[in-house]
Amino acid sequence: MRAALIDSDGGFALADHPEPTAQPGHRVIDVAAAGIGPTDLMRAKGFFGPVDAPYVPGGEGVGHLDDGSRVYFGHSRPPFGAIAERTLVAEEEIWPAPDGLSDDQLIALAISGTGALIPLEEARIAKGESVLILGATGPVGQIGAQVARLLGAGRVVAAARGRERLEAMQAAGHADAIALLGEGDDEAALKAVSEGGYDVVLDIIYGPPAQAAMRATRPGARMTSIGVQAGPTVTLSLRDLVFRSHIGVGTGQRPASERRAAYDRLIAMAMTQGLTVDTRRYAFADAADAWAAQAGSPHGKIVITR
């Protein structure tokens, strides 16, 4: 079969690869569409440990079982990744795909969506509270802004680099106000639209912007951090943290049953409340272009279709 392959030097190319075969507790899936994200690039660069190459990248997608059932899958079993004609997935990681959602929207909502839903649920947003989405223009941020509103937020502020995408979120009603980062003093920019301080921060980028965001919160605030695109560390004084909490929230490492329950809650929201996220679709033959686009920090979810 044809598949994308990552070499030991991190190179990406389409090539022939052995077919996966069914194994106990696993199913072979005929892939219709595959999603890629920042963690796929980090894995290829050895961020999670030495690269056992060659391997097929990508872990999530939508496809069909041998009985024709349309399913979503989130964790392909290495070395059979999602950017291929077929992949191998543990049965507990294969979840129903509702007919009302397209392949690209389902992929965009699943891992990115639960990455927003779980930390926002753990922040326990009280009705009417002010929520800041830090790194708002990517898939997680777009979903997070919508989910925060559904969980009771009275005011949602979107912050990121890129004025055009922020203004589009505001025009769509997903944000009440926006803050442009990277133009000088991030702390001042965040405070200028905080109306006295944020109660909850969904931090997708960490680093210096997270420091600025914490200093723009009010007493009792909860910050949940889930990504490190802006840097792996922050520097905060005890004074910055008094009467506030800050937690790093992992989602992908949780048991499949817990992730499946979050997926079900999110899909129900999407079907009844119309959650949407920007996507960029590429044909399988153009998978290398999709990989390069992901490296460029796209605002929409990258989806490769067959």
Side-chain angles (χ1 to χ4, degrees):
M1 69 173 183
R2 296 291 286 175
L5 292 181
I6 297 293
D7 292 328
S8 56
D9 63 358
F12 179 104
L14 289 177
D16 291 327
H17 191 268
E19 294 261 358
T21 57
Q23 300 180 19
H26 295 71
R27 301 282 298 274
V28 173
I29 296 177
D30 188 9
V31 179
I36 55 175
T39 56
D40 295 306
L41 272 68
M42 293 166 70
R43 182 170 290 106
K45 293 177 180 178
F47 184 87
F48 299 110
V51 176
D52 187 13
Y55 75 93
V56 181
E60 66 169 328
V62 173
H64 296 87
L65 299 175
D66 54 9
D67 63 3
S69 301
R70 179 172 176 259
V71 296
Y72 168 82
F73 60 93
H75 289 74
S76 293
R77 177 174 174 173
F80 299 106
I83 309 177
E85 293 179 342
R86 279 164 289 283
T87 189
L88 185 68
V89 184
E91 290 179 350
E92 64 183 1
E93 302 286 358
I94 301 172
W95 305 335
D99 292 335
L101 290 174
S102 64
D103 290 350
D104 60 328
Q105 283 297 303
L106 190 57
I107 291 170
L109 286 165
I111 289 182
S112 296
T114 54
L117 176 64
I118 290 174
L120 285 171
E121 288 179 333
E122 293 192 354
R124 299 184 182 278
I125 299 170
K127 186 175 182 180
E129 284 191 316
S130 175
V131 176
L132 169 65
I133 310 295
L134 195 63
T137 54
V140 179
Q142 291 178 38
I143 299 168
Q146 297 170 71
V147 168
R149 189 92 69 190
L150 295 177
L151 294 179
R155 188 166 186 268
V156 176
V157 176
R161 295 173 180 264
R163 183 182 299 276
E164 183 179 349
R165 289 306 312 154
L166 287 171
E167 290 177 344
M169 289 184 67
Q170 188 172 20
H174 298 158
D176 300 295
I178 59 174
L180 188 63
L181 302 178
E183 296 291 305
D185 189 338
D186 286 348
E187 183 177 340
L190 292 171
K191 286 181 175 178
V193 291
S194 70
E195 295 191 352
Y198 304 103
D199 300 296
V200 171
V201 179
L202 173 61
D203 163 38
I204 303 162
I205 54 177
Y206 212 55
Q211 296 171 193
M214 180 61 84
R215 293 171 183 145
T217 60
R218 57 166 55 99
R222 293 87 68 200
M223 177 187 285
T224 56
S225 294
I226 60 173
V228 294
Q229 289 92 327
T233 61
V234 298
T235 301
L236 293 167
S237 69
L238 180 59
R239 182 175 181 177
D240 296 325
L241 295 171
V242 169
F243 299 120
R244 295 161 175 83
S245 63
H246 183 198
I247 184 171
V249 180
T251 54
Q253 304 89 344
R254 299 181 181 223
S257 59
E258 187 175 343
R259 289 184 282 105
R260 166 69 187 276
Y263 168 87
D264 288 342
R265 295 194 299 276
L266 185 78
I267 294 305
M269 286 182 179
M271 297 292 288
T272 60
Q273 303 293 333
L275 299 181
T276 60
V277 61
D278 294 338
T279 62
R280 294 177 62 184
R281 288 181 288 180
Y282 291 80
F284 184 72
D286 299 323
D289 293 336
W291 189 257
Q294 180 61 57
S297 302
H299 295 303
K301 180 71 175 182
I302 299 289
V303 177
I304 299 170
T305 61
R306 286 191 56 237

